[in-house]
Amino acid sequence: MPTIITKTNKRYKDLDLSLTIHPVRKDVNKLSDERAIIQSIKTILLTKHYERPFNPDFGSNITKLLFEPLDPITAVSLKREIEQTLKNYEPRVILQSVIVKPDFDNNAFAVTIIFIMKSLSQPITIQFFLARDR
Amino acid sequence: MASRLNVTELDFDSIKNNLKDFLTQQSEFQDYDFEGSGLNVLLDVLAYNTHYNAYYMNMVANESFMESAILRNSVVSHAKTYGYTPRSVAASHAVLDFTVITDNNTPGTLTIPRGYKFMSNLIDGKSYGFVTLENKTVTKTGNNFVFNDLPIYEGRLVSYAYTYDSTSNPNRTFTIPESNADTASLTVTVQESSSNTDSRVFTTVQEYFEATSNSEVYFTQESVDGKYQIYFGDGIIGKTIDDGNIVVVSYLITNGPAANGADAFKATAALSGHTNFDIDVVLRGSGGSERESVDSIKFNAPLQLLSQNRAVTKNDYIKLINQRYPHFDSVNVWGGEENDPPVYGRVFISAKPKLGFEITYTEKEYIKNKILKPVSVMTVVPEFVDPDYTYLKLDIELFVDVTKAAATLADIEEQVRQYTLSWAATNLNKFDSYFNYSGLESGINILSKSILSNEVETMVGKKFRPDLLQAQSYVLDYGIELARGTTDDNFYTTPDFTMIDGDGIARQCYFEEVPSSYTGIESMTITNPGFNYTSTPTLEIVGDGTGAVALANIVNGKLESVTITNPGVGYTSAIVRIVGGGGQSAEVIPVLEGRYGQLRIVYYKADSLTNQNTKFVLNSDVNNGVIGSIDYTLGKVNITLFNPTNVNNDFKDIMIFFRPKSNIMRTTGNKIFVLDSGDGSSVTVESKLK
């Protein structure tokens, strides 16, 4: 009986910006779907305004906000900034929620972003820390 | 079909879009459209790099041609291939009559050394130092040493000495370290060596093919960084210099145009022990200018190549004078054959200085002998003619709706006045210009919404300075057709002057225009004498008047002359029919008497009974008081034996204004229309309210 090989149709395909090499193909790694989007979110949030040539609006203001006091007010500003930036520059996601909590012990903010990728129905969660590096 | 990558775009966004279009053909990476994707980052890098290179290549291409080059050093480099050296910053210069007063008349001489310093009055809060550039020696006259026409130049004299070394400087090039050095003041001397103090003066090269292997000349050029360089010949064209020679370069560091207008000077140091000085300013500080601009170089360099540094055509002269003597607002040149009567073999030059109205004798001689003579055709003699100024007086009437703008009526009127003056500064005040009054009117109309319409009334005036000691005759040449006076406002004269009447009483007098009231035929101009006339033809005068009779006089079958036996009355236009006589083609134009008018002098005296002012004609017993004639067609006024004892203004000038026949006026030769911004009455603005 012939077997039917199903292949999931990947919607989003991107280059891995860390430029790691695929161990077998010896080529640059590719990212697809949610991994591509997570990389994109990371790029958008960590790009400062005026960093991109000829596109000064691109990016977010969060690196500046990290120099504000570590308190709930800054956390609210960060949340708003992240929401707004993703709305503007990442059309592939529908944001479910953004949670920003000040983490006093680590002198950082804990950020959780929950979104739905437009082609899937399951929500995706990413968690990361935002801390000043200087 | 796979689309190709479009490579003609130059700007970042188009390049990036082209790359995205190209990527639509593959399915390996699909995220190129999203700004946050890694692929987009790569596209940014690629597009930026492409854009950067495109811009760079474009600049390189632009700078390769004189027309499109923007950077100064590119333009200067192109100019070099045309044999053109851009003009450096030029020092403002003044001319003084400088008198050194001593307490005795022991004969002797006094030398004013190069670099003797004067300080100017404050200009914009700053005083400038002026120096002499040459030693000048005079002998004593009476108690004083008098230096007449002493030229002084704004700036500071500096000297640099370079020891020449052929290994480190094989091109024999020396850079002047200051960018604001006036190259016209350069002196270059070469000393043999530090032990041998013999020195030779090198001069700037004038003619390349006259420079031989022994010519002691130097060349100048502008270097890449905008500073000037001098370099010496290679021993074939121009004498070369040897190792160990000491090159001493001395020049003026100047502030350019900043010191223009300096009109009072004081000496700063004792001169051979003398400290008592008297200084008269002959020419106030003028002629300072910035170094030649990029646009000016682009304009002049190709012209220099065309004219081959020769003064042959009219434009060669204008270009040479403007380039080497940048002190004029406007220069006009015409051949003597255009004069009336023609003067062959001469070229006439007229120039209006940037400051004031006249140029000095020294300046004229300098331009004639130093600038034009070396490059002009041998038999052609350049000659200066002072500009002939025709003053304009504009009376502007506005029709204003004040509700349409926030400004007050006085503001609007002042705005119109200022606009008119600036309009005149760009459109008039120069040679070969024309007065385009409709342009002025339409310019005024769009100044403010509240100006509904306006009317410009023009008067043209001549200025003359009468001799106050003896009776003299004067000719005022307006150069344009004048309107015959019918009412008082066609004629205007200012200021009043004093004259002695027949009873020996001083009267405050004015000129008055009396248009001739005769309306007959004054004379006939024969434009074609015709031929084959066997008997005297009848001349029939046809026009709107009556009674004119003229007789033809035929000699050898041609119309020789016309005698008017009755001028007739009431003619404003007429033609002449030639009837009979057997011949043909004779043509005659009648000249109406109304072409002429008279000038007389009037004064006002209070009536002894009513005490009201009544007008009297001065010396009315002699020739009805007529003192001059007006030719309206030629625009000439002759004043005969005019003898005022005083003119009642500071400058002792009298101005006589007429209304021109047409408001479209053109200047030729040495004539210039001037709207004198220093004279408050040159532009008057009146408003009518809606």
Side-chain angles (χ1 to χ4, degrees):
Chain A
M1 192 181 159
T3 52
I4 299 166
I5 302 167
T6 55
K7 189 182 171 196
T8 46
N9 198 9
K10 298 271 197 289
R11 272 203 67 184
Y12 305 120
K13 285 182 263 180
D14 193 11
L15 188 80
D16 185 358
L17 258 193
S18 60
L19 297 180
T20 47
I21 304 290
H22 191 279
V24 180
R25 289 202 313 266
K26 304 288 182 201
D27 203 349
V28 177
N29 267 331
K30 284 198 290 187
L31 301 176
S32 56
D33 287 345
E34 71 264 27
R35 289 181 64 211
I37 291 176
I38 289 167
Q39 174 183 268
S40 166
I41 288 174
K42 188 178 150 200
T43 311
I44 294 169
L45 292 182
L46 296 184
T47 304
K48 295 174 203 156
H49 291 310
Y50 291 96
E51 212 176 319
R52 277 274 173 105
F54 301 96
N55 194 358
D57 294 340
F58 181 80
S60 82
N61 206 19
I62 60 174
T63 40
K64 247 185 190 166
L65 285 171
L66 295 182
F67 286 86
E68 298 295 317
L70 188 69
D71 59 16
I73 297 171
T74 310
V76 171
S77 302
L78 264 177
K79 172 178 148 68
R80 206 176 293 149
E81 181 70 24
I82 291 167
E83 282 170 354
Q84 195 57 49
T85 309
L86 292 184
K87 218 174 184 179
N88 286 344
Y89 292 105
E90 194 40 275
R92 291 172 288 188
V93 304
I94 302 163
L95 268 186
Q96 292 294 86
S97 74
V98 175
I99 302 153
V100 182
K101 280 185 186 157
D103 181 343
F104 297 101
D105 296 337
N106 293 316
N107 197 24
F109 289 98
V111 182
T112 310
I113 299 172
I114 304 168
F115 61 89
I116 295 176
M117 200 167 88
K118 271 185 181 164
S119 54
L120 297 169
S121 53
Q122 232 166 327
I124 300 166
T125 306
I126 38 174
Q127 288 183 313
F128 53 92
F129 275 105
L130 282 174
R132 278 163 56 170
D133 56 1
R134 67 185 159 98
Chain B
M1 197 189 98
S3 76
R4 290 186 187 156
L5 192 59
N6 189 356
V7 295
T8 52
E9 308 290 347
L10 296 176
D11 67 299
F12 180 84
D13 286 329
S14 313
I15 294 168
K16 193 169 167 189
N17 286 334
N18 284 340
L19 290 171
K20 282 183 190 170
D21 279 349
F22 187 68
L23 287 178
T24 53
Q25 298 169 59
Q26 50 81 46
S27 56
E28 193 73 9
F29 297 107
Q30 289 176 329
D31 288 2
Y32 46 81
D33 240 355
F34 303 110
E35 287 292 315
S37 69
L39 205 59
N40 208 291
V41 174
L42 275 192
L43 285 186
D44 267 343
V45 172
L46 194 54
Y48 183 59
N49 185 41
T50 310
H51 170 77
Y52 189 98
N53 277 322
Y55 176 81
Y56 186 70
M57 292 308 290
N58 244 304
M59 278 297 280
V60 168
N62 275 341
E63 295 300 316
S64 308
F65 300 96
M66 184 82 154
E67 292 84 356
S68 50
I70 295 165
L71 298 175
R72 185 179 177 93
N73 54 25
S74 312
V75 175
V76 168
S77 168
H78 290 303
K80 213 177 276 179
T81 62
Y82 293 143
Y84 184 83
T85 309
R87 197 185 62 234
S88 75
V89 58
S92 176
H93 84 284
V95 178
L96 306 180
D97 279 346
F98 181 59
T99 309
V100 180
I101 302 164
T102 69
D103 52 8
N104 61 67
N105 59 2
T106 322
T109 59
L110 182 67
T111 299
I112 193 163
R114 171 181 159 88
Y116 185 72
K117 192 173 173 190
F118 295 87
M119 288 307 288
S120 77
N121 55 331
L122 294 179
I123 299 163
D124 291 334
K126 209 174 156 194
S127 177
Y128 293 92
F130 282 68
V131 295
T132 55
L133 287 185
E134 278 168 1
N135 296 341
K136 192 173 180 180
T137 306
V138 292
T139 49
K140 198 182 243 182
T141 43
N143 279 1
N144 302 338
F145 296 103
V146 183
F147 295 89
N148 278 326
D149 289 339
L150 179 71
I152 54 173
Y153 297 82
E154 187 271 324
R156 187 163 52 89
L157 273 174
V158 291
S159 287
Y160 278 90
Y162 307 86
T163 306
Y164 175 60
D165 172 21
S166 58
T167 355
S168 62
N169 186 3
N171 295 326
R172 303 167 297 279
T173 304
F174 302 92
T175 303
I176 294 169
E178 282 86 7
S179 55
N180 53 348
D182 181 355
T183 53
S185 66
L186 259 181
T187 61
V188 176
T189 47
V190 177
Q191 188 182 321
E192 214 44 57
S193 67
S194 54
S195 54
N196 180 351
T197 55
D198 287 352
S199 63
R200 295 162 285 156
V201 176
F202 278 59
T203 53
T204 182
V205 70
Q206 292 288 350
E207 296 287 351
Y208 293 104
F209 37 77
E210 280 176 9
T212 65
S213 57
N214 280 320
S215 303
E216 295 182 334
V217 292
Y218 65 88
F219 306 82
T220 48
Q221 64 181 16
E222 190 177 319
S223 70
V224 180
D225 55 2
K227 289 170 181 161
Y228 277 85
Q229 290 177 332
I230 64 164
Y231 58 100
F232 292 91
D234 54 1
I236 298 164
I237 297 174
K239 190 168 186 154
T240 190
I241 52 174
D242 303 319
D243 275 345
N245 281 171
I246 298 170
V247 177
V248 181
V249 186
S250 171
Y251 52 86
L252 208 53
I253 298 176
T254 174
N255 292 299
N260 285 348
D263 54 6
F265 297 92
K266 56 173 192 277
T268 53
L271 187 58
S272 300
H274 302 288
T275 50
N276 193 1
F277 304 122
D278 181 41
I279 298 175
D280 280 333
V281 179
V282 179
L283 173 73
R284 58 181 178 160
S286 65
S289 63
E290 297 290 0
R291 68 176 178 172
E292 188 165 11
S293 68
V294 169
D295 286 338
S296 170
I297 299 171
K298 280 184 178 179
F299 178 76
N300 280 324
L303 287 182
Q304 149 114 358
L305 186 71
L306 284 180
S307 74
Q308 296 283 313
N309 204 24
R310 287 286 174 270
V312 179
T313 67
K314 168 183 171 151
N315 285 338
D316 296 345
Y317 277 89
I318 295 177
K319 191 216 75 183
L320 268 168
I321 296 174
N322 274 336
Q323 184 203 337
R324 304 246 180 109
Y325 202 75
H327 306 177
F328 296 135
D329 245 358
S330 178
V331 176
N332 200 18
V333 174
W334 64 98
E337 74 280 358
E338 288 174 26
N339 274 15
D340 182 25
V343 185
Y344 296 103
R346 275 167 203 269
V347 164
F348 289 88
I349 303 153
S350 199
K352 179 185 181 299
K354 282 182 179 159
L355 280 175
F357 289 110
E358 319 242 309
I359 41 180
T360 61
Y361 177 75
T362 332
E363 284 180 297
K364 288 176 191 171
E365 288 301 300
Y366 175 81
I367 293 168
K368 272 196 318 202
N369 297 328
K370 292 282 165 62
I371 297 178
L372 297 178
K373 270 266 175 66
V375 293
S376 64
V377 178
M378 265 159 67
T379 52
V380 175
V381 182
E383 192 163 305
F384 261 92
V385 181
D386 279 327
D388 182 5
Y389 297 101
T390 301
Y391 295 85
L392 291 181
K393 181 167 143 50
L394 303 178
D395 296 314
I396 301 168
E397 193 166 21
L398 304 175
F399 189 46
V400 178
D401 183 353
V402 278
T403 56
K404 287 201 171 170
T408 64
L409 198 59
D411 286 345
I412 295 170
E413 287 179 354
E414 183 56 25
Q415 195 187 356
V416 170
R417 220 183 92 77
Q418 292 305 332
Y419 171 77
T420 307
L421 288 174
S422 69
W423 176 85
T426 46
N427 290 288
L428 302 176
N429 299 356
K430 61 184 176 211
F431 296 104
D432 256 342
S433 64
Y434 73 103
F435 175 72
N436 167 14
Y437 89 114
S438 58
L440 174 62
E441 284 185 342
S442 46
I444 291 174
N445 269 346
I446 55 171
L447 269 185
S448 161
K449 275 185 184 163
S450 56
I451 300 175
L452 303 176
S453 71
N454 74 90
E455 188 175 16
V456 177
E457 302 235 304
T458 323
M459 294 192 100
V460 291
K462 281 279 165 186
K463 200 185 257 186
F464 74 108
R465 188 170 298 175
D467 190 334
L468 300 180
L469 300 174
Q470 51 185 322
Q472 294 275 11
S473 297
Y474 304 91
V475 179
L476 309 181
D477 184 1
Y478 289 77
I480 49 169
E481 198 169 346
L482 304 173
R484 268 165 57 83
T486 47
T487 53
D488 278 348
D489 71 338
N490 271 8
F491 181 80
Y492 169 80
T493 171
T494 182
D496 57 295
F497 47 90
T498 313
M499 278 187 81
I500 314 291
D501 70 1
D503 302 329
I505 303 168
R507 301 285 185 190
Q508 204 184 344
C509 297
Y510 301 89
F511 281 113
E512 188 182 62
E513 175 197 18
V514 188
S516 66
S517 59
Y518 308 118
T519 50
I521 308 292
E522 160 104 12
S523 64
M524 296 278 183
T525 307
I526 300 168
T527 52
N528 187 346
F531 54 89
N532 280 349
Y533 284 97
T534 51
S535 62
T536 309
T538 316
L539 302 183
E540 287 179 12
I541 299 169
V542 184
D544 49 0
T546 52
V549 178
L551 294 179
N553 181 17
I554 300 290
V555 177
N556 291 337
K558 290 181 178 177
L559 182 59
E560 175 79 12
S561 63
V562 176
T563 316
I564 295 181
T565 51
N566 183 352
V569 287
Y571 287 98
T572 60
S573 81
I575 58 162
V576 177
R577 291 181 191 153
I578 301 172
V579 183
Q584 51 184 302
S585 295
E587 272 175 18
V588 170
I589 295 173
V591 178
L592 300 181
E593 279 178 329
R595 167 175 169 176
Y596 299 102
Q598 291 170 336
L599 270 189
R600 59 186 186 185
I601 295 171
V602 296
Y603 61 93
Y604 290 86
K605 192 169 80 173
D607 186 70
S608 54
L609 283 177
T610 62
N611 209 22
Q612 285 175 335
N613 270 340
T614 322
K615 186 165 86 181
F616 289 90
V617 176
L618 191 85
N619 299 332
S620 59
D621 47 336
V622 184
N623 195 17
N624 278 331
V626 172
I627 185 117
S629 64
I630 306 160
D631 184 333
Y632 293 105
T633 311
L634 291 182
K636 269 189 184 163
V637 172
N638 283 292
I639 301 169
T640 29
L641 298 177
F642 178 49
N643 187 18
T645 54
N646 192 19
V647 177
N648 298 326
N649 72 355
D650 292 345
F651 304 106
K652 309 296 177 203
D653 289 330
I654 297 179
M655 293 185 89
I656 298 180
F657 285 94
F658 284 92
R659 210 166 280 291
K661 181 138 191 199
S662 159
N663 266 336
I664 301 168
M665 300 180 279
R666 219 197 135 80
T667 61
T668 50
N670 64 333
K671 289 196 163 45
I672 293 189
F673 286 132
V674 177
L675 193 67
D676 189 356
S677 56
D679 178 3
S681 69
S682 61
V683 180
T684 57
V685 184
E686 255 180 55
S687 305
K688 262 188 196 162
L689 292 178
K690 188 190 173 191

